[in-house]
Amino acid sequence: MLRRRLLRLFPKRSMIALLFLFSLSSSFLYFIYVAPGIVNTYLFMVQAQGIMIRENMRTIGAQVYEQMIRDYPFDLNHSDATLVQTTTYLPEGFTYHPNQTCPERLPSMKGPVNVNMSEIHMEEIEALFTQNSDIKQGGHWRPKDCIPRWKVAILIPFRNRHEHLPVLFRHLIPMLQRQRLEFAFYLIEQAGTQPFNRAMLFNVGFLEAMKDYSWDCVIFHDVDHIPENDHNYYGCGQMPRHFAAKLDKYMYLLPYEEFFGGVSGLTVKQFQKINGFPNAFWGWGGEDDDLWNRVRFDGYTPTRPEGNIGKYKSIPHHHRGEVQFLGRYALLRHSKERQALDGLNNLKYFPTITYSSLYKNITVNLTPELAPVSDY
């Protein structure tokens, strides 16, 4: 009976047409959602090929120039400023004293490191480092054989990446110990159903870290970025600094000059001066570009590691339901106007804090109402 009524109201052809239109509209909406990412990826790959060709030409040119200098040792009127400066690390067996400041270029820092991306349980990592490394509860470590030059808080935004965290610790803890830095890890975990807000998590982590200790600088570290070179010094002397200058998923090329993602750092004073990260970026993408704008607006010039020192491997993953933030371009156009209104100064949050043997966990349920922004 019901079927006959439906057929009277919607003949078969009309039903097929409705189904077709529904399918077409769904496909169109999906295309709108994924198209920006696909286009960006394609354009970057084309750009990367051009950059690689240009870098190869530069390398060939440098080799030819070097050969000319060897064969014809005459003055080409080049100033000393154009020559490559060598970086000297202390020799094996060099001794330093517990009452002296730790050197920045230690013999324990070997350069390129072997990266092991295989999964490992957190219990194994905790057993490895808590037994032999004098790490205090919450992941705080300080060298005993010298006075640390810098006190560094490592902030890690987090949601549903439990298999990635022990892989990061397996590489990052030994590297920071070889660099003789005083450090602690803050894991800022987002609860609730709102889209992931990486920037707001960093602001929360910064404010909580400042309650614990007089840190010199903070490093904003994605959980899936593994450093490949321990000469990539996580000290505070060259801040603001973009550490992850060469990422394997980008063919070890910088996607664009203003790229500030993955791993970056600022001194405490710098981060306070720029009013932290923006809180308005819900979903992935755009918040690092806004941070770059804030840094530049306040007169700072970010630095990057030289050569291959800034190489990182990225643990393969999908965004696991985290949406791309399509409104980022509109916000970026008004970075300067929003800087004084949206950041550390308008954020409210209610954390749940627990301690692990390797990190302090700060869990927050984030909503847009926690960071209201007045008109600009």
Side-chain angles (χ1 to χ4, degrees):
M1 195 71 175
L2 179 62
R3 184 181 177 186
R4 290 179 180 178
R5 289 181 180 178
L6 287 174
L7 287 175
R8 288 175 186 174
L9 291 173
F10 302 102
K12 285 187 176 181
R13 291 182 181 179
S14 299
M15 291 289 289
I16 294 172
L18 285 172
L19 289 172
F20 175 75
L21 288 174
F22 176 77
S23 175
L24 186 63
S25 61
S26 299
S27 301
F28 181 70
L29 289 173
Y30 178 76
F31 175 77
I32 290 176
Y33 173 73
V34 302
I38 295 173
V39 171
N40 287 340
T41 302
Y42 175 76
L43 290 177
F44 172 72
M45 296 303 293
V46 172
Q47 181 188 29
Q49 293 296 332
I51 294 173
M52 290 180 67
I53 293 172
R54 185 165 66 249
E55 292 298 321
N56 288 338
M57 294 301 295
R58 286 179 180 175
T59 301
I60 294 171
Q63 292 172 348
V64 172
Y65 175 78
E66 182 181 359
Q67 190 63 42
M68 287 176 60
I69 295 297
R70 289 177 179 175
D71 294 342
Y72 306 98
F74 50 80
D75 184 14
L76 293 179
N77 296 322
H78 281 76
S79 66
D80 292 340
T82 62
L83 300 178
V84 176
Q85 301 296 321
T86 58
T87 302
T88 302
Y89 284 79
L90 295 172
E92 292 287 348
F94 179 87
T95 57
Y96 40 91
H97 301 283
N99 61 344
Q100 293 180 338
T101 302
C102 303
E104 288 192 355
R105 296 181 176 92
L106 292 150
S108 56
M109 297 162 61
K110 303 298 185 183
V113 298
N114 293 323
V115 175
N116 182 359
M117 305 282 272
S118 60
E119 290 189 12
I120 185 171
H121 294 293
M122 180 58 77
E123 292 78 11
E124 298 178 60
I125 295 296
E126 290 175 338
L128 175 65
F129 289 114
T130 55
Q131 292 177 2
N132 305 314
S133 298
D134 298 319
I135 296 181
K136 296 181 180 179
Q137 186 78 359
H140 192 161
W141 185 84
R142 176 185 174 92
K144 293 182 176 180
D145 51 1
C146 56
I147 300 172
R149 186 176 295 269
W150 302 109
K151 302 184 290 292
V152 185
I154 312 292
L155 310 185
I156 305 171
F158 189 82
R159 180 153 74 176
N160 300 329
R161 298 289 191 86
H162 297 282
E163 71 276 23
H164 294 170
L165 188 61
V167 177
L168 175 65
F169 282 156
R170 176 166 57 192
H171 297 88
L172 195 53
I173 290 175
M175 187 184 93
L176 297 174
Q177 290 175 334
R178 291 195 297 271
Q179 294 179 354
R180 294 300 191 273
L181 296 168
E182 182 174 3
F183 63 88
F185 292 104
Y186 292 85
L187 191 77
I188 314 97
E189 183 170 7
Q190 182 173 339
T193 59
Q194 289 287 340
F196 192 64
N197 193 323
R198 178 175 177 269
M200 191 183 288
L201 291 174
F202 278 139
N203 285 342
V204 170
F206 175 84
L207 294 172
E208 288 299 309
M210 293 305 103
K211 297 176 183 177
D212 290 348
Y213 200 58
S214 58
W215 301 108
D216 296 315
C217 64
V218 288
I219 291 180
F220 309 103
H221 209 300
D222 282 350
V223 70
D224 60 347
H225 280 48
I226 311 299
E228 298 186 43
N229 194 311
D230 66 7
H231 287 178
N232 196 354
Y233 186 61
Y234 275 30
C236 311
Q238 294 181 292
M239 302 285 187
R241 191 160 178 82
H242 181 219
F243 294 92
K246 295 188 174 183
L247 193 60
D248 62 341
K249 70 177 182 180
Y250 297 138
M251 302 169 64
Y252 293 114
L253 298 170
L254 195 66
Y256 48 93
E257 182 58 31
E258 298 82 10
F259 183 66
F260 209 44
V263 185
S264 59
L266 286 88
T267 67
V268 170
K269 291 183 179 179
Q270 289 170 349
F271 195 66
Q272 289 171 335
K273 184 180 178 183
I274 69 170
N275 196 23
F277 272 90
N279 296 307
F281 286 77
W282 295 91
W284 60 270
E287 74 284 345
D288 288 316
D289 296 325
D290 198 290
L291 184 69
W292 173 279
N293 291 340
R294 293 179 175 219
V295 166
R296 299 294 288 142
F297 291 151
D298 272 356
Y300 299 116
T301 301
T303 66
R304 290 190 174 101
E306 297 178 352
N308 291 324
I309 293 176
K311 293 177 70 173
Y312 284 74
K313 288 191 182 299
S314 178
I315 303 175
H317 72 281
H318 300 287
H319 284 280
R320 301 182 183 179
E322 301 295 354
V323 297
Q324 184 179 14
F325 182 47
L326 299 180
R328 62 188 184 275
Y329 300 113
L331 289 179
L332 288 171
R333 284 196 295 270
H334 298 282
S335 289
K336 194 172 185 65
E337 297 92 329
R338 289 186 302 98
Q339 182 168 351
L341 305 173
D342 182 27
L344 296 174
N345 62 350
N346 70 324
L347 175 62
K348 298 178 182 179
Y349 62 95
F350 306 95
T352 299
I353 296 174
T354 57
Y355 290 88
S356 163
S357 57
L358 295 181
Y359 59 89
K360 179 177 180 178
N361 184 284
I362 305 161
T363 301
V364 283
N365 187 352
L366 301 181
T367 62
E369 292 74 24
L370 296 175
V373 180
S374 57
D375 292 336
Y376 52 86

